[in-house]
Amino acid sequence: TQLLEQSPQFLSIQEGENLTVYCNSSSVFSSLQWYRQEPGEGPVLLVTVVTGGEVKKLKRLTFQFGDARKDSSLHITAAQPGDTGLYLCAGAPGNQFYFGTGTSLTVIP
Amino acid sequence: DVKVTQSSRYLVKRTGEKVFLECVQDMDHENMFWYRQDPGLGLRLIYFSYDVKMKEKGDIPEGYSVSREKKERFSLILESASTNQTSMYLCASSPSWGGATDTQYFGPGTRLTVL
């Protein structure tokens, strides 16, 4: 059992569509991060959310931290082919860092 | 820019061989990490180090060891490679232990195949 479960595991959509990716846990996190990994590269940090209920926007990407600090979501508006990649949530409930199971997004032109 | 480099992008080894994966970071970061990445499982922490010669086990340390003799270099060692260690290995570094508010900077990964 993974500490951070992401859904869906795979997502294939047309350019211009909206989508939401979820990151869920039974544990409470002081903060959560989202990373994006492009093929052949390591993950790169997109955002850190630190307050329950917090919403952060990064251009067309909207990140939300759940009120109970056990979950987070990533919403992409009008997806572009450049959004294609593996999206990973991550957090440290204690002194060890955990990554989620990942959502592989493909945006078709 | 922070740069984390890994010694090989692709590696093919035989069962039973001793395998060394090297990672170097150029930003004087305190912490370094080794993960393996498998489809559907995300990244799983093998070992991390918060200082020279210091190491801590992660979630899946069995079959692996690490070495950190210099601050900028963190090595992952597979003492006797097995086929179930075929995976993508990612190295990362972070400036200091700030928990989940600390950014981890990753290398490009080494895809290891054990035959």
Side-chain angles (χ1 to χ4, degrees):
Chain A
T1 305
Q2 299 286 98
L3 190 66
L4 287 164
E5 294 282 348
Q6 289 184 238
S7 61
Q9 185 176 354
F10 298 97
L11 194 52
S12 182
I13 61 170
Q14 295 289 332
E15 182 176 357
E17 291 184 356
N18 301 332
L19 66 115
T20 302
V21 174
Y22 299 93
C23 172
N24 294 292
S25 178
S26 57
S27 298
V28 175
F29 290 82
S30 58
S31 59
L32 277 177
Q33 297 181 322
W34 284 91
Y35 288 76
R36 179 170 66 204
Q37 183 179 19
E38 298 184 10
E41 302 296 329
V44 175
L45 180 69
L46 295 173
V47 77
T48 301
V49 284
V50 296
T51 306
E54 180 179 2
V55 176
K56 276 192 175 178
K57 292 194 173 187
L58 190 66
K59 297 184 181 177
R60 293 175 294 100
L61 279 61
T62 301
F63 303 86
Q64 185 160 7
F65 198 13
D67 291 340
R69 292 185 288 122
K70 292 183 178 182
D71 56 87
S72 182
S73 64
L74 158 60
H75 182 80
I76 301 180
T77 304
Q80 304 291 314
D83 296 327
T84 292
L86 179 69
Y87 289 81
L88 295 155
C89 62
N95 64 350
Q96 183 173 314
F97 218 73
Y98 292 90
F99 277 82
T101 49
T103 293
S104 180
L105 171 65
T106 302
V107 182
I108 302 165
Chain B
D1 278 352
V2 174
K3 192 160 187 182
V4 179
T5 57
Q6 296 184 228
S7 51
S8 306
R9 294 298 293 264
Y10 300 93
L11 209 52
V12 179
K13 296 292 182 180
R14 296 211 173 269
T15 300
E17 281 192 79
K18 191 168 186 175
V19 182
F20 292 88
L21 303 182
E22 304 284 339
C23 175
V24 178
Q25 50 95 2
D26 66 357
M27 284 301 291
D28 201 36
H29 284 174
E30 302 290 333
N31 302 316
M32 296 188 75
F33 308 81
W34 274 107
Y35 294 90
R36 64 175 282 175
Q37 182 174 29
D38 300 287
L41 297 177
L43 275 66
R44 291 180 292 166
L45 184 63
I46 304 172
Y47 270 96
F48 67 98
S49 168
Y50 53 88
D51 200 354
V52 175
K53 296 190 185 293
M54 305 302 288
K55 61 185 180 185
E56 292 286 343
K57 293 180 180 180
D59 274 342
I60 52 166
E62 296 78 19
Y64 303 94
S65 62
V66 290
S67 173
R68 192 168 181 200
E69 296 296 320
K70 293 184 178 182
K71 191 174 187 180
E72 68 271 18
R73 189 180 296 270
F74 194 33
S75 302
L76 180 68
I77 303 152
L78 287 66
E79 295 289 342
S80 178
S82 64
T83 55
N84 62 13
Q85 292 178 309
T86 291
S87 186
M88 171 69 84
Y89 289 89
L90 288 163
C91 175
S93 70
S94 67
S96 61
W97 181 248
T101 59
D102 211 15
T103 302
Q104 292 196 29
Y105 297 87
F106 284 84
T110 295
R111 183 163 294 281
L112 172 67
T113 301
V114 182
L115 302 175

